[in-house]
Every structure is written in C-alpha cells, then in structure tokens.
Amino acid sequence: TSITSAKVQVNGVNLHYQQTGEGSHAVLLLPGMLGSGQTDFGPQLKSMNKQLFTIVAWDPRGYGQSIPPSRDFPPDFFERDAKDAVDLMQALKFKKFSLLGWSDGGITALIAAAKYPTLIHKLVVWGANASVTQEDVRIYNGIRDVSKWSEKVRKPLEEMYGLKYFAKTCEAWVDGISRFAEKSDGNICQQLLPDIKCPTFIIHGEKDPLVPRAHAEYIHKHIKGSRLLLMPEGKHNLHLRFAEDFNRQVEDFLQ
C-alpha cells in the first residue's frame, strides 16, 4: 500500500505525518534529533507488515515538515513532544496504539508511555537514555559542528533544512540536552520509568557511539518485565543498517 502524507493541527501547530498500512494495530514511529518520518524510518514505512499494522511516522514540531514553528528546546521539550505525539494519534482517531521511538524519540516514547498508560499498547525504544551524564555531554559536543558529520548522515538533513537551520538547530539541541546534566542525577525521565506498565522492548546496538550501553540497561532495570536485546554489530542507526532483522524482531514483539 502507498504512503500518504498530510498535516493536522495539534496544540496550535500543524504537525506533518506519513501513514501507511491498513492493519488494526496502530503504531507511531518517533524520530530522533532533527529527524522526520522521511529521513529516519524509510525501511519501516516501506517494509513493515501492512496487513497487521497501520504505521504512522510523525515530524515533531520544528522538525521535518512540521515547520513553522522553528525548533526550540525549553526545559520540558520532551514532555511537549510526548503530548504532541499522543494528541496527534488521537486527532487521527486511533484509540490505542504502540510506540516505536528512536534516540530522542525513544525518550519521548518513554515519557508518553508513563504519562498516558491507557493509550499505549506496547513500547519499543532504541538509542534512548533516561538521564544525561558528563560523558554524554562530551559525546554531544563531539557532534555539535554539523560540518564534521559524515556526508551520508549530513546530506539528507542539509537538503531538508538548508545548512543554516540545520547547523543552528543542532547547536541548540546540544545546549538543550546538555542542560539535564546540570541536575545532580542528570535526570530526564528516570522517575517515570516505574510508571510504564505496557509490554516494553529495549534494543541496543553494542557499537552505538552516541549512547553507552549503561543507558539501555538502566531503562531495562527500571521498567518491570521489559525485554532487552543487544545487537553486537548495531550502531545508533541499527534500525536502518539492519532493517530486516530489526523489523522482524519488532513485529514479533508487537503481535
């Protein structure tokens, strides 16, 4: 089936999303920093089972085609994204749905699952963290300058945003997420993890250069009954690099 794309007004913003499939199980894909459905979830939109699932990939406000507004990073930006994501799905008339969150989208998904438990069916996160350490801040500062990114990762984002918006927003993101490290425990959403009651699947690439394995283990430990899968060759973008394996694991879990 084809992939449709549209906008819907949610919380005063026109949010862009892509949708495909006609299955009874609705699934929302939540992209990472600067990400969009188009840049972050090509293999999922194309190849996930469209008989079983209705798949929605959204662009959070200020990202992808959900501009305006320009992206900003107030202290509660993850909570804001979580509310936007859930309200988008409700605007699309999905009563209950599962969340697949990558990186920042994984953090957003953790918050949404904790805060809106009656709406979330199942949860899959990868490349996510519930706190920010000084080591993390060092890693983030390593990606602050987008001109140093590999061309493969940089090019689609440069094409989508133009160099100026892309560079400025990446710097603002580094500043915004680094602020969490100023708290004594670096907390983003640690206190919410025990509130997550839905079946949860955490995937971690053991070669992820952006998110150390301890983050995945912490999330696994604090969400009761959650499952953790370590992918020995997986990096941060394991769902793109190992799309077939990833899609199969996730579909098995969601059924």
Side-chain angles (χ1 to χ4, degrees):
T1 52
S2 62
I3 299 170
T4 59
S5 121
K7 287 188 176 186
V8 63
Q9 193 173 36
V10 176
N11 300 326
V13 182
N14 288 316
L15 292 176
H16 177 263
Y17 68 95
Q18 290 168 288
Q19 185 172 328
T20 186
E22 59 260 335
S24 59
H25 188 154
V27 176
L28 176 65
L29 309 176
L30 298 93
M33 174 261 275
L34 277 160
S36 65
Q38 179 192 333
T39 55
D40 288 12
F41 295 116
Q44 284 68 48
L45 286 163
K46 188 171 158 230
S47 304
M48 275 183 74
N49 187 318
K50 301 189 181 191
Q51 279 65 55
L52 291 177
F53 305 108
T54 296
I55 299 142
V56 178
W58 80 309
D59 299 0
R61 61 170 75 201
Y63 285 164
Q65 295 179 54
S66 296
I67 303 172
S70 290
R71 182 72 183 185
D72 63 349
F73 300 93
D76 67 342
F77 73 91
F78 284 118
E79 282 81 3
R80 182 180 67 182
D81 283 350
K83 183 166 170 39
D84 281 349
V86 164
D87 291 351
L88 167 73
M89 292 300 276
Q90 299 222 281
L92 298 178
K93 303 281 183 276
F94 296 109
K95 288 187 174 61
K96 208 167 178 173
F97 45 92
S98 291
L99 300 174
L100 266 64
W102 177 39
S103 198
D104 270 19
I107 300 172
T108 301
L110 291 167
I111 293 169
K115 288 194 158 184
Y116 310 97
T118 58
L119 303 176
I120 310 307
H121 185 39
K122 292 186 178 183
L123 173 66
V124 182
V125 296
W126 65 105
N129 43 303
S131 66
V132 177
T133 66
Q134 289 306 325
E135 166 68 359
D136 296 325
V137 172
R138 193 186 61 73
I139 293 170
Y140 302 149
N141 277 303
I143 62 165
R144 178 187 286 274
D145 179 356
V146 298
S147 70
K148 293 182 180 152
W149 290 23
S150 76
E151 191 179 357
K152 196 175 158 215
V153 179
R154 192 179 73 231
K155 210 161 188 299
L157 292 167
E158 217 166 271
E159 281 166 7
M160 173 173 279
Y161 292 116
L163 183 57
K164 195 178 162 195
Y165 186 91
F166 173 35
K168 186 186 79 181
T169 307
C170 181
E171 287 192 7
W173 175 84
V174 171
D175 292 339
I177 196 150
S178 297
R179 258 184 246 120
F180 291 104
E182 292 163 14
K183 303 179 193 173
S184 60
D185 54 356
N187 178 46
I188 303 175
C189 62
Q190 290 172 316
Q191 77 292 353
L192 292 175
L193 300 180
D195 296 342
I196 296 174
K197 304 293 187 229
C198 64
T200 300
F201 187 20
I202 302 139
I203 304 172
H204 185 72
E206 297 219 60
K207 294 186 175 172
D208 189 332
L210 290 175
V211 180
R213 173 173 163 172
H215 285 300
E217 289 173 340
Y218 183 94
I219 294 168
H220 172 48
K221 188 179 162 189
H222 290 88
I223 299 177
K224 206 175 165 189
S226 64
R227 233 175 90 191
L228 175 62
L229 171 70
L230 298 170
M231 290 176 73
E233 293 303 310
K235 293 187 178 175
H236 196 58
N237 65 345
L238 55 86
H239 66 297
L240 303 176
R241 174 92 190 280
F242 302 104
E244 213 173 303
D245 186 21
F246 175 88
N247 288 358
R248 191 186 69 243
Q249 296 274 3
V250 167
E251 286 177 0
D252 288 350
F253 171 76
L254 291 175
Q255 285 180 60

